[in-house]
């Protein structure tokens, strides 16, 4: 296992527990991709199929070999403008105005441990070994170091690329992919996760067509609309069976994942920073790192693929005290009060919640500046002492006295025109000189690429965080970027703004965590508009969606679960009728859905009936009881809510397979309800399990037969099965 180089064959093989990845340097110095799939340590280069395919030209150095074409051979990191007409990995404007890049192999290194990427989030941990392959264009001097890390147990590989301008003239990078994957065989479907505000990560499966398909964002954030995660799978692949390749980009800004099916029915997939609004100048000697791509191959369907991502993200992406420690059950006042609150109101919500077992009170938007609505105040990170007399300390102390932690909302990256900050520094907002900026939620965006902006935010945030015992921060971002222009950068470098913005954001988050290592950060962008692995490196949980309706959340959390572990999914029980959909779902169902996430409440619990309050108390006890099982166990999707609109179910199995919890919902009541069946997964076939304290069956039988969905009346009814090993 690990990384192997066979000198004679010039063959690199990366092997994990169940997979192998192979590439080869050929006689002309081109780095060809040979194979990625089931584990084999043999030479797979027999798969290369050389044939003359008219209109696919031949590199000059191959002489009369008409069957040798970069347009048909599988490439590891395709060059540009030299005869491969498929989607490329790199585009440039060279010093002489040309756009060609001809990468040829120069050498390799193998390092112990996992590489890191300066200023950017990436997987970490000693277990990963690193391979660096160097390719270079001999004419311009542009070199690329292709980085690979191998995670054997998790069946995960990662890649990123470092560009170095070793020439004498400046080179402008206009495309710099993190990864390219070429597939010679197969009939593929693409699975991706699209959406909109309040409806993120809706799973969609479509056949890969001839031509190009792109999933990406130009919004300056990974976005509600697409997620930097896709799956390429065989047409027959299901949850439990078949081939699939999952690809995730550790990045929170503009991205593009391009899939092309070419003339020979080969499929190519590239992923990296989005090319629209990207142009990065490399002066002589300068370097540029791409974000990291994380990918896996599974021959056991989507379930195994998700499990690999869940493990790697939980163990090697999320950081800090709360990586494993149970997160406090929280209550957030947003849907309870919106902007209309004072100290008494907040303490009253906290008091009611504390009595039922809630552990953290989060004060949301509206505590600072002139912020009684969404038209003003962003940027003025000073406590509004008219609303909160005496500042935050009395409120935080009051919450602490109830035995709860206190947390606070910030939206550091945005600025209201009606704010003292904007009046003092209009140039701190992104806007194009001579044009009126596009407003969104009445706000503009701060230029996070500027050090002075970040210094201001750091100073304001630390001042606030030091003024009271604040143990949690919700880091929000409530609009997308437009009017991209930084007053600090010269005109020829404006193509760098979006990426520099992300680097600035990451730098500020890192600075904050260095100062407050135990702070629990929850990411947010109007719900799940920046639910990506880049943000997870800083905030181990992210508010999954502004839609808290239990029924809609089933679909949102289903899509989210393909890449992201349960522990990362911010999920709350809110009031009914639901504020986004007007739907009334039972408290038990809202609880079951929210327990498949970082659990909390978002309503005034004082307004519940005594009976409901008792139910909430029980819910919190249940959540705590099952925490290790739900948050550290294996997660299984049992139904597909994009297709099955009658009932949904999902399952958690403990690592030692001694217990399992199945949660679900009867989405629609039906007359004369036919019997419905839930598959059961992940048990030990040899073990005996008691189901809901009643019947005892073997894991083998339960997995073979599944369970019958209980007959219930009404829509949106919760279902729970608890399976415990009996010895
Ligand atoms: C966003 C968040 C909400 C809330 C509001 C406050 O929409 O997703 O949870 O914090 O902002 O303005």
């Amino acid at each position: 296992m690990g990384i192997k180089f066979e000198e004679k064959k010039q063959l690199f093989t990366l092997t994990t527990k169940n997979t192998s990845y192979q590439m080869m340097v050929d006689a002309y110095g081109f780095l060809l991709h040979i194979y990625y799939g089931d584990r084999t340590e043999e030479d797979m280069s027999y798969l290369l199929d050389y044939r003359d395919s008219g209109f696919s030209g031949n590199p000059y150095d191959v002489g009369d070999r008409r069957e040798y074409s970069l347009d048909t051979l599988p490439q590891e990191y395709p060059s540009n403008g030299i005869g491969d007409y498929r989607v490329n990995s790199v585009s440039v404007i060279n010093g002489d105005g040309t756009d060609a890049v001809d990468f040829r192999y120069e050498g390799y290194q193998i390092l112990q441990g996992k590489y890191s990427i300066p200023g950017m989030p990436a997987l970490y941990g000693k277990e990963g070994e690193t391979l660096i392959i160097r390719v270079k264009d001999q004419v311009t001097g542009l070199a690329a170091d292709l980085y690979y890390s191998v995670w054997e147990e998790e069946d995960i590989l990662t890649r990123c690329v470092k560009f170095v301008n070793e020439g004498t003239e400046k080179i402008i990078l206009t495309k710099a992919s993190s990864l390219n994957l070429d597939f010679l065989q197969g009939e593929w479907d693409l699975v991706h996760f699209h959406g909109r505000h309040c409806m993120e990560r809706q799973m969609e499966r479509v056949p890969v067509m001839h031509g190009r398909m792109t999933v990406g964002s130009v919004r300056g954030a990974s976005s509600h609309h697409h997620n930097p995660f896709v799956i390429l799978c065989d047409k027959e692949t299901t949850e439990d069976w078949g081939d699939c390749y999952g690809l995730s980009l550790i990045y929170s800004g503009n991205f593009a994942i391009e899939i092309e099916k070419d003339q020979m029915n080969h499929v190519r997939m590239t992923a990296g920073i989005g090319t629209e609004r990207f142009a990065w100048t490399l002066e002589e000697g300068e370097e540029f790192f791409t974000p990291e791509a994380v990918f896996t191959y599974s021959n056991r369907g989507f379930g195994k693929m998700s499990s690999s991502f869940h493990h790697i993200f939980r163990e090697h992406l999320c950081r800090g005290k709360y990586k494993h420690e149970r997160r406090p059950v929280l209550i957030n006042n947003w849907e309870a009060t919106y902007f209309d609150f004072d100290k008494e109101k907040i303490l009253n919500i906290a008091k009611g919640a504390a009595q039922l077992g809630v552990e953290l009170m989060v004060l949301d938007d509206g505590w600072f500046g002139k912020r009684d609505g969404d038209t003003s105040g962003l940027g003025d990170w000073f406590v509004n002492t008219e609303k909160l007399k005496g500042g935050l300390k009395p409120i935080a102390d009051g919450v602490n006295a109830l035995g709860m932690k206190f947390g606070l909302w910030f939206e550091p990256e945005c600025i209201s025109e009606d704010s003292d900050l904007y009046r003092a520094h209009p140039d701190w907002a992104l806007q194009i000189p001579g044009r009126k900026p596009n407003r969104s939620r009445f706000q503009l965006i701060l230029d996070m690429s500027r050090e002075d902006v970040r210094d201001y935010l750091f100073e304001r945030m630390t001042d606030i965080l030091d003024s009271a015992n604040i143990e949690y921060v919700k880091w929000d971002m409530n609009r997308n970027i437009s009017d991209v222009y930084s007053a600090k950068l010269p005109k020829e470098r404006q193509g760098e703004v979006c990426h520099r913005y992300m680097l600035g954001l990451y730098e500020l988050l890192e600075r904050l965590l260095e100062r407050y290592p135990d702070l629990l950060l929850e990411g947010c962008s109007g719900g799940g508009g920046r639910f990506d692995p880049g943000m997870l490196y800083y905030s181990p949980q992210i508010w999954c969606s502004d839609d808290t309706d239990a029924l809609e959340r089933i679909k949102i959390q289903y899509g989210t679960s393909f890449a992201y572990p349960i522990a990362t999914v911010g999920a709350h029980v809110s009031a009914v009728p639901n504020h986004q959909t007007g739907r009334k779902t039972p408290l038990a169902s809202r609880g079951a859905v929210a327990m498949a996430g970082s659990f909390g409440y978002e309503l005034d619990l004082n307004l519940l009936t005594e009976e409901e309050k008792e139910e909430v108390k029980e819910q919190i006890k249940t959540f705590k009881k099952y925490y290790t099982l739900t948050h550290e166990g294996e997660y299984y999707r049992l139904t597909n809510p994009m297709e099955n609109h009658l009932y949904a179910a999902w399952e958690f199995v403990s690592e030692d397979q001694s217990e399992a919890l199945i949660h679900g919902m009867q989405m629609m009541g039906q007359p004369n309800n036919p019997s419905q069946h839930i598959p059961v997964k992940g048990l030990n076939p040899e073990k005996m399990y008691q189901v809901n304290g009643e019947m005892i069956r073997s894991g083998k039988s339960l997995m073979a037969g599944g369970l019958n969905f209980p007959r219930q009346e009404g829509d949106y009814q919760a279902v729970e099965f608890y399976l415990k090993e009996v010895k």
Side-chain angles (χ1 to χ4, degrees):
M1 288 212 281
I3 300 167
K4 191 168 88 180
F5 179 61
E6 291 170 74
E7 185 80 47
K8 233 169 114 196
K9 296 178 178 159
Q10 296 281 293
L11 195 68
F12 292 95
T13 308
L14 313 181
T15 313
T16 68
K17 203 166 156 193
N18 297 293
T19 74
S20 292
Y21 183 100
Q22 223 169 53
M23 35 196 166
M24 186 186 88
V25 183
D26 76 5
Y28 313 104
F30 291 111
L31 186 61
L32 301 182
H33 177 77
I34 304 294
Y35 173 79
Y36 185 30
D38 274 338
R39 179 170 170 175
T40 162
E41 271 147 275
E42 288 175 37
D43 174 359
M44 301 297 280
S45 59
Y46 70 91
L47 291 170
L48 291 173
D49 191 12
Y50 296 95
R51 56 181 71 191
D52 181 356
S53 356
F55 282 79
S56 290
N58 324 106
Y60 206 84
D61 5 350
V62 308
D64 58 5
R65 287 190 64 188
R66 284 187 54 159
E67 78 286 4
Y68 188 108
S69 177
L70 295 176
D71 198 28
T72 52
L73 284 168
Q75 313 279 326
E76 186 60 20
Y77 196 71
S79 302
N80 185 44
I82 57 160
D84 184 346
Y85 296 95
R86 295 168 288 178
V87 57
N88 59 7
S89 293
V90 55
S91 302
V92 296
I93 303 170
N94 292 316
D96 60 3
T98 59
D99 69 356
V101 182
D102 182 353
F103 279 144
R104 307 286 179 114
Y105 177 74
E106 282 224 322
Y108 78 98
Q109 296 177 57
I110 296 174
L111 308 175
Q112 280 315 306
K114 164 71 182 21
Y115 62 86
S116 55
I117 307 180
M120 268 196 284
L123 298 188
Y124 65 88
K126 281 199 293 293
E127 292 94 323
E129 266 190 303
T130 297
L131 166 70
I132 306 172
I133 301 181
R134 165 155 283 222
V135 293
K136 188 170 173 180
D137 183 308
Q138 298 301 335
V139 175
T140 61
L142 181 65
D145 288 333
L146 312 180
Y147 283 64
Y148 299 81
S149 77
V150 181
W151 303 80
E152 295 167 2
E153 279 307 307
E154 296 86 354
D155 287 323
I156 289 280
L157 301 177
T158 74
R159 287 173 66 174
C160 84
V161 180
K162 177 172 93 175
F163 289 91
V164 192
N165 182 354
E166 294 183 347
T168 51
E169 287 191 83
K170 85 170 176 201
I171 296 172
I172 303 171
L173 280 174
T174 51
K175 180 174 188 180
S177 300
S178 302
L179 153 152
N180 177 78
L181 285 174
D182 275 1
F183 299 90
L184 293 182
Q185 292 103 9
E187 276 295 313
W188 301 104
D189 280 347
L190 169 70
V191 178
H192 69 115
F193 302 87
H194 69 100
R196 57 176 184 258
H197 178 222
C198 286
M199 215 183 99
E200 299 86 340
R201 291 172 295 289
Q202 305 289 300
M203 191 246 219
E204 186 174 69
R205 180 171 181 163
V206 290
V208 171
M209 62 166 199
H210 282 100
R212 292 183 187 181
M213 301 160 96
T214 305
V215 169
S217 167
V218 292
R219 294 170 173 269
S222 52
S223 86
H224 302 85
H225 310 79
H226 290 285
N227 198 261
F229 175 70
V230 301
I231 306 164
L232 209 56
C233 63
D234 189 89
K235 291 231 168 296
E236 310 293 327
T237 299
T238 65
E239 273 295 318
D240 306 299
W241 189 86
D243 289 349
C244 61
Y245 296 85
L247 162 66
S248 166
L249 199 62
I250 305 190
Y251 195 56
S252 315
N254 293 342
F255 72 96
I257 302 176
E258 295 166 280
I259 296 99
E260 178 171 0
K261 185 170 178 176
D262 70 13
Q263 51 170 349
M264 313 309 281
N265 301 329
H266 300 163
V267 169
R268 169 171 287 181
M269 176 153 72
T270 66
I273 294 178
T275 50
E276 281 178 51
R277 310 213 176 96
F278 176 77
W280 192 279
T281 300
L282 284 180
E283 297 289 352
E284 195 182 329
E286 282 183 350
E287 299 177 353
F288 178 83
F289 275 89
T290 72
E292 178 164 83
V294 179
F295 55 110
T296 189
Y297 160 72
S298 153
N299 65 1
R300 281 183 279 143
F302 302 134
K304 161 72 173 84
M305 177 212 68
S306 293
S307 170
S308 299
F309 279 108
H310 291 181
H311 282 268
I312 206 84
F313 285 167
R314 229 163 44 196
E315 300 298 326
H316 298 287
L317 181 68
C318 294
R319 300 179 295 169
K321 177 176 162 191
Y322 289 101
K323 175 172 165 176
H324 289 299
E325 197 169 300
R326 183 173 70 70
R327 322 266 170 75
V329 174
L330 68 79
I331 185 149
N332 179 304
N333 73 301
W334 178 242
E335 287 196 11
T337 64
Y338 295 104
F339 292 104
D340 180 19
F341 60 82
D342 57 17
K343 184 176 110 192
E344 283 62 43
K345 226 178 188 175
I346 297 300
L347 284 178
N348 191 40
I349 292 175
K351 194 169 157 205
Q355 283 162 356
L356 305 184
V358 176
E359 300 159 313
L360 162 68
M361 172 76 221
V362 178
L363 176 56
D364 210 278
D365 194 356
W367 56 266
F368 54 91
K370 204 183 90 191
R371 184 77 172 165
D372 293 320
D374 57 13
T375 57
S376 59
L378 285 175
D380 295 342
W381 300 107
F382 298 89
V383 182
N384 180 334
T385 46
E386 273 169 40
K387 261 186 181 168
L388 302 174
K389 305 248 171 339
L392 289 170
K393 189 161 168 31
I395 210 168
D397 290 349
V399 167
N400 289 165
L402 294 165
M404 297 168 98
K405 295 178 192 297
F406 179 67
L408 198 61
W409 180 96
F410 282 92
E411 191 179 351
E413 299 156 71
C414 283
I415 181 165
S416 305
E417 284 162 277
D418 184 2
S419 67
D420 292 339
L421 185 68
Y422 188 76
R423 284 181 279 274
H425 298 286
D427 59 322
W428 282 13
L430 290 176
Q431 46 189 325
I432 301 170
R435 294 180 197 269
K436 293 284 179 212
N438 179 54
R439 289 178 177 144
S440 186
R441 209 195 187 197
F442 308 103
Q443 61 203 51
L444 305 181
I445 301 214
L446 283 171
D447 180 354
M448 296 295 288
S449 74
R450 289 176 69 135
E451 207 176 341
D452 47 2
V453 168
R454 299 197 300 271
D455 286 347
Y456 166 80
L457 291 172
F458 185 73
E459 189 266 318
R460 286 316 322 134
M461 289 185 80
T462 50
D463 189 59
I464 296 286
L465 294 178
D466 291 343
S467 73
N469 186 20
I470 300 168
E471 297 178 73
Y472 160 110
V473 161
K474 179 173 169 189
W475 183 295
D476 208 342
M477 166 51 163
N478 278 318
R479 63 158 292 176
N480 287 143
I481 296 181
S482 61
D483 306 276
V484 178
Y485 181 89
S486 169
K488 259 276 153 76
L489 283 174
K491 65 176 189 299
E492 61 281 6
R493 284 195 176 254
Q494 293 297 324
E496 298 176 15
V497 176
C498 288
H499 184 56
R500 285 188 184 276
Y501 180 103
M502 294 320 304
L503 295 177
L505 170 64
Y506 292 147
E507 191 257 355
L508 183 57
L509 284 161
E510 191 66 38
R511 238 207 286 178
L512 211 63
L513 288 176
E514 265 167 29
R515 169 120 164 199
Y516 307 102
D518 290 342
L519 184 71
L520 173 57
L521 271 185
E522 175 151 0
C524 179
S525 174
R530 215 162 46 186
F531 201 117
D532 58 61
M535 291 308 288
L536 284 179
Y537 187 67
Y538 307 94
S539 57
Q541 63 191 57
I542 299 179
W543 182 224
C544 185
S545 177
D546 270 348
D547 188 349
T548 54
D549 174 70
L551 185 71
E552 286 299 309
R553 271 285 183 134
I554 286 181
K555 283 189 273 174
I556 297 168
Q557 293 179 195
Y558 171 80
T560 306
S561 78
F562 278 82
Y564 306 105
I566 291 301
T568 63
V569 176
H572 301 168
V573 172
S574 63
V576 287
N578 178 269
H579 291 198
Q580 291 76 41
T581 60
R583 187 174 286 121
K584 286 188 183 169
T585 53
L587 185 52
S589 306
R590 282 175 272 155
V593 171
M595 279 184 212
S598 271
F599 184 65
Y601 290 84
E602 184 140 350
L603 72 169
D604 185 349
L605 291 169
N606 296 304
L607 304 178
L608 300 188
T609 62
E610 286 311 309
E611 207 180 311
E612 287 170 327
K613 284 182 187 166
E614 281 310 308
E615 199 178 333
V616 166
K617 252 191 203 167
E618 284 308 309
Q619 254 172 14
I620 294 174
K621 278 193 205 145
T622 309
F623 173 70
K624 289 184 186 167
K625 184 168 88 189
Y626 292 143
Y627 181 82
T628 311
L629 175 55
T630 55
H631 281 58
E632 311 248 322
E634 283 290 323
Y635 176 77
Y636 294 91
R637 292 174 290 268
L638 302 182
T639 63
N640 174 355
M642 307 310 285
E643 287 170 1
N644 182 345
H645 303 295
L646 294 174
Y647 64 100
W650 53 96
E651 182 188 10
F652 310 91
V653 180
S654 64
E655 220 182 318
D656 63 0
Q657 295 172 304
S658 67
E659 54 174 347
L661 177 71
I662 295 174
H663 269 158
M665 187 199 276
Q666 169 171 297
M667 293 150 130
M668 292 265 283
Q670 291 182 93
N672 196 9
N673 208 347
S675 139
Q676 285 157 351
H677 168 259
I678 322 178
V680 176
K681 301 183 185 178
L683 303 181
N684 182 333
E686 310 301 329
K687 287 187 175 173
M688 300 301 290
Y689 295 88
Q690 185 163 35
V691 182
N692 281 349
E694 291 169 4
M695 72 164 183
I696 297 178
R697 290 287 182 282
S698 68
K700 188 172 178 197
S701 303
L702 286 165
M703 287 194 291
L707 287 165
N708 285 329
F709 213 85
R711 283 191 169 202
Q712 302 192 84
E713 287 207 342
D715 299 337
Y716 324 127
Q717 299 299 318
V719 170
E720 179 175 309
F721 290 102
Y722 176 64
L723 284 66
K724 178 80 189 150
E725 181 187 358
V726 282
K727 297 209 171 141

